[in-house]
Amino acid sequence: MRRLALFVGILILLVGVGTSTATPTACPPNCSVHLPFIQKDLTPLAINAGFEITQGVQQPNNSVQLVANRPTYARVTITSTTPHSDVQAYLHAARNGQELTTSPIPAINNPRTLKSTADRTLLGDTFNFVLPNDWLWGTLTLWVTAENGTTYFATSQTTTVSFTSVPDLNVRVVRVQYTCSGGGTITPAGPFDYLIEYTRKVYPVANITLQTHASLMPYSGPCTSGKPDPTSNDWIQMLYDVTDVWLVDGAPNEYYYALLDVECSGGCIAGLGWIGYYKAAVGWTGWNSAHDGASETHAHEVGHNHGREHAPGCNAASPDPNYPYTDGNGKAPIGNAGAPNYGFDVYGSQTIYPYTQYYDIMGYCDPVWISDYTYEAILAYAQQNNQMRITRPEPVLLVSGLLDENDTSVALRPALTLDTILYRLEAGPYTLDLLDNHGRLLASYPFTPVRATLDTVGEAEGGEIRGFHLAVPASVNADIIRIRKGEQVLAERSGGSAAPRFDASPQVHSANTLHWNATDADGDSVFYTVRYSPDGGKTWQTLALHQATPNLTTAESLATGVYEILATDGVHTTRMRFDLP
């Protein structure tokens, strides 16, 4: 009884304190005090939140694959017929049934007033989250909670997302040292970070590495007003040169991109890249000092290297017949009503790119972003082709040529034998034959030519080419190279009676000049390729390619390492390897 009396006394005291906001007044005998009943419902409302997890382009159902370790945004749609104000949302994540230690995270645009509808084109109509780095791998379960502390407290259903691993995109810029036929030399000046800005935004990769090739790629051609104005044939020859540099370097997992300044006041060719198989392309530095158009061209040409054809519309040649979206004008938007793709810039600007206003990067229409079709095709190509062709370097014969448009002839370039990567061949109706000097067949390699399209801006004429760069096992007895289609011989080249011969060891004439001498027994022309290795032959850098003069001058002093000079008469190759201390 004493404890009960004490409890009642405390309760009366608390009631008195809880109801007194001014000078207390006496309560008459037998009076009653009624307190207001205030309770916060701790059971949250169930909300049907819409999740859009994007890394560049996405549909509302999140069908576009996510790339591990790539910047990722979550746009969460929460609507309410009651306009609750000051609502703050939090995104939660769990992996393997355990909520992550960095979960939850607040929306970057907290707080918001809820509306009855949401528009995907408006960034402010969704709660937006930047996913932390430790969320960007494996499989996650996501859900969101939202509250304003008074009238709104809600939680969503869960959604599951998975991240897939994709290799880095490794880009190596090869600067074209362009000498005008009337005099003067123009070489692009770095840094070249501008070149990959757009590619980084739209490609399904976590990282793009950018390096500059140690050597310049010389080329001579026409100029206008002192600026390079190469013809379509010049572009083709530069594409062949940079592809040979890629092969001679033995860099199967790097995309080689020859870069040059171009005169383009009224329109010009801006890029040229192989459609699949070869990781080599040529592109311009763009308009003006801001390099406008250069990065979009890079993304387009490297897209070709990933096997992408043109998207339809706006006079793009040889459009992809499987491209899934076209509008009434034959253009290629990045989606349609059945596939409402929205692009999103995850690198800072958070710009939204609706399918109703933007066209695919592989087309010629403006403005451009990337469709889910192109995005996922590039992703699949990168996964399938990364490192699949790396083998131990071995003696390889490189044979390259350009087919004419009528399939009646092939222009062969000098063949070269060296230790490099042996690449697979795609079988097809064309054949490379190796024969001895009696015409006896030693080996045959069926192949399919690779196409490339001259991509233009403004008023300029493009076109398409077909060619090949074949890397086959070297044969010491091969004296004749023959290209045929079926039984029709398209080209044939015979070597001399013997391979070129070096007369003496190379001589260093100055800190940056190397000289040698070689002769051919039959007096045929000799072509020289020079490469350098800083690590004993593990990796190579091409210093000179198919040049007719027996000397090399570098911009800087000759570096310490292994040098190799390859002399060819077009079929036979003699190699000289030496160390410079």
Side-chain angles (χ1 to χ4, degrees), residues 349-412:
S349 74
Q350 301 171 41
T351 303
I352 298 170
Y353 302 92
Y355 70 90
T356 54
Q357 302 172 31
Y358 287 83
Y359 302 97
D360 191 80
I361 184 65
M362 293 310 302
Y364 282 5
C365 303
D366 288 318
V368 294
W369 195 250
I370 194 167
S371 66
D372 62 332
Y373 175 78
T374 298
Y375 189 89
E376 294 203 299
I378 289 174
L379 188 153
Y381 190 94
Q383 290 175 314
Q384 293 167 6
N385 288 271
N386 184 56
Q387 297 184 342
M388 66 178 294
R389 296 179 297 202
I390 287 186
T391 60
R392 177 179 56 83
E394 55 187 286
V396 168
L397 176 66
L398 301 181
V399 181
S400 60
L402 176 68
L403 281 79
D404 74 343
E405 60 183 13
N406 299 315
D407 260 8
T408 57
S409 66
V410 169
L412 284 173

Side-chain angles (χ1 to χ4, degrees), residues 12-319:
I12 292 173
L13 177 62
L14 290 175
V15 168
V17 171
T19 58
S20 176
T21 58
T23 304
T25 58
C27 182
N30 302 319
C31 75
S32 298
V33 177
H34 297 279
L35 299 177
F37 182 75
I38 300 175
Q39 175 181 339
K40 181 176 181 180
D41 186 0
L42 298 181
T43 302
L45 299 170
I47 53 173
N48 185 24
F51 289 85
E52 181 177 328
I53 316 300
T54 183
Q55 296 180 326
V57 65
Q58 191 56 272
Q59 294 191 26
N61 63 357
N62 294 313
S63 60
V64 180
Q65 295 183 73
L66 299 175
V67 173
N69 302 314
R70 178 172 169 82
T72 306
Y73 278 71
R75 298 185 65 195
V76 179
T77 301
I78 301 175
T79 57
S80 172
T81 55
T82 301
H84 298 282
S85 61
D86 295 323
V87 174
Q88 305 206 46
Y90 298 86
L91 185 65
H92 300 251
R95 184 182 288 121
N96 299 323
Q98 297 293 321
E99 186 164 1
L100 303 182
T101 57
T102 50
S103 171
I105 58 172
I108 58 177
N109 58 332
N110 277 340
R112 290 181 56 242
T113 296
L114 300 186
K115 300 191 299 183
S116 59
T117 60
D119 184 347
R120 283 179 72 203
T121 63
L122 301 177
L123 190 63
D125 271 19
T126 55
F127 287 101
N128 306 309
F129 304 86
V130 183
L131 273 58
N133 291 338
D134 63 319
W135 294 25
L136 304 181
W137 58 272
T139 299
L140 293 181
T141 299
L142 300 176
W143 71 98
V144 67
T145 57
E147 56 88 19
N148 63 2
T150 55
T151 63
Y152 191 78
F153 180 43
T155 189
S156 74
Q157 80 283 6
T158 62
T159 189
T160 301
V161 297
S162 295
F163 296 87
T164 185
S165 295
V166 178
D168 289 350
L169 179 66
N170 303 310
V171 177
R172 189 175 293 270
V173 176
V174 182
R175 295 159 294 166
V176 177
Q177 186 181 49
Y178 195 101
T179 299
C180 297
S181 52
T185 299
I186 299 95
T187 305
F192 302 112
D193 299 90
Y194 66 85
L195 200 62
I196 60 171
E197 287 178 357
Y198 199 82
T199 311
R200 190 187 305 279
K201 292 179 180 181
V202 300
Y203 267 48
V205 293
N207 184 48
I208 300 179
T209 68
L210 180 67
Q211 300 182 68
T212 302
H213 200 281
S215 301
L216 303 175
M217 192 176 86
Y219 193 84
S220 297
C223 290
T224 297
S225 301
K227 197 168 184 180
D229 192 8
T231 66
S232 58
N233 184 65
D234 293 319
W235 279 91
I236 293 166
Q237 295 307 315
M238 285 185 284
L239 177 62
Y240 270 80
D241 285 351
V242 72
T243 308
D244 280 343
V245 172
W246 174 66
L247 288 164
V248 173
D249 279 8
N253 289 322
E254 293 189 29
Y255 285 83
Y256 274 42
Y257 196 75
L259 187 67
L260 71 155
D261 291 327
V262 177
E263 200 289 318
C264 199
S265 56
C268 62
I269 296 169
L272 177 63
W274 297 111
I275 302 176
Y277 193 49
Y278 306 129
K279 297 179 180 179
V282 190
W284 69 332
T285 57
W287 279 295
N288 58 50
S289 59
H291 304 286
D292 291 340
S295 190
E296 290 86 346
T297 300
H298 178 263
H300 183 101
E301 300 308 332
V302 177
H304 282 320
N305 290 168
H306 281 78
R308 295 295 85 214
E309 304 276 1
H310 281 144
C314 302
N315 300 315
S318 303

Side-chain angles (χ1 to χ4, degrees), residues 532-541 559-562:
Y532 157 75
S533 174
D535 50 18
K538 294 179 181 178
T539 60
W540 291 95
Q541 300 170 13
T560 299
V562 178

